[in-house]
Amino acid sequence: MLILRKDQRKRASSFDPVRATEHQAKFLATHTPSEITAPEWFTAAMDKYTRDTTQQIAQLQENVQTQIKRIERLTILTHNKLCGNGRDTPFEVLPFLDGSIPTESPVAATRKVAIQKAIGYRIG
């Protein structure tokens, strides 16, 4: 049993970062990484949490990318409207809603539209 002198005693609610760091260094020095493992119940709980969180983050990233494309399109539209006749400031290329660029060859664009109509894709 460890007995501390009166001046060494600390309240249970206090936190001493220096002592915590010293304890952590001693612990890590005396234990190999294979000995430091989380309990199975903790691993199972964290796996479920991280899987759910990963799915939520992926959905958020998809939503952000959609919004960025929309903002980019609106910005280009605004820029082009402010260009007047386009002589002083050139127009920007405005991608279609599906993200394709209208400057590609007309054959390729026509082929895309035909394929999209064939599979029932709603255009516009």
Side-chain angles (χ1 to χ4, degrees), residues 55-96:
Q55 290 171 351
Q56 290 172 353
I57 289 172
Q59 182 65 38
L60 286 172
Q61 285 177 332
E62 186 178 318
N63 292 345
V64 167
Q65 290 300 323
T66 302
Q67 292 300 320
I68 287 173
K69 288 178 184 177
R70 182 176 174 270
I71 291 169
E72 181 182 36
R73 183 171 164 75
L74 291 172
T75 303
I76 294 172
L77 274 169
T78 303
H79 170 80
N80 287 347
K81 286 184 180 188
L82 295 173
C83 283
N85 60 10
R87 288 186 196 154
D88 297 330
T89 306
F91 294 115
E92 294 287 327
V93 176
L94 180 66
F96 290 120

Side-chain angles (χ1 to χ4, degrees), residues 4 8 16 19 23 28-29 35 42 45 47 63 66 70 72 74 78 81-82 97-98 106 108 110 114 119-121 124:
L4 299 174
Q8 293 177 322
D16 185 357
R19 290 182 69 191
H23 173 73
L28 293 174
E35 295 175 330
F42 181 79
D47 284 346
N63 292 345
T66 302
R70 182 176 174 270
E72 181 182 36
L74 291 172
T78 303
K81 286 184 180 188
L82 295 173
L97 293 173
D98 66 354
T110 306
I119 61 174
Y121 181 82

Side-chain angles (χ1 to χ4, degrees), residues 16-58:
D16 185 357
V18 174
R19 290 182 69 191
T21 305
E22 290 172 357
H23 173 73
Q24 180 184 17
K26 287 178 188 175
F27 181 82
L28 293 174
T30 58
H31 294 80
T32 62
S34 61
E35 295 175 330
I36 307 170
T37 57
E40 289 183 27
W41 62 267
F42 181 79
T43 305
M46 288 306 293
D47 284 346
K48 179 187 180 312
Y49 172 75
T50 54
R51 183 175 46 253
D52 293 346
T53 304
T54 303
Q55 290 171 351
Q56 290 172 353
I57 289 172

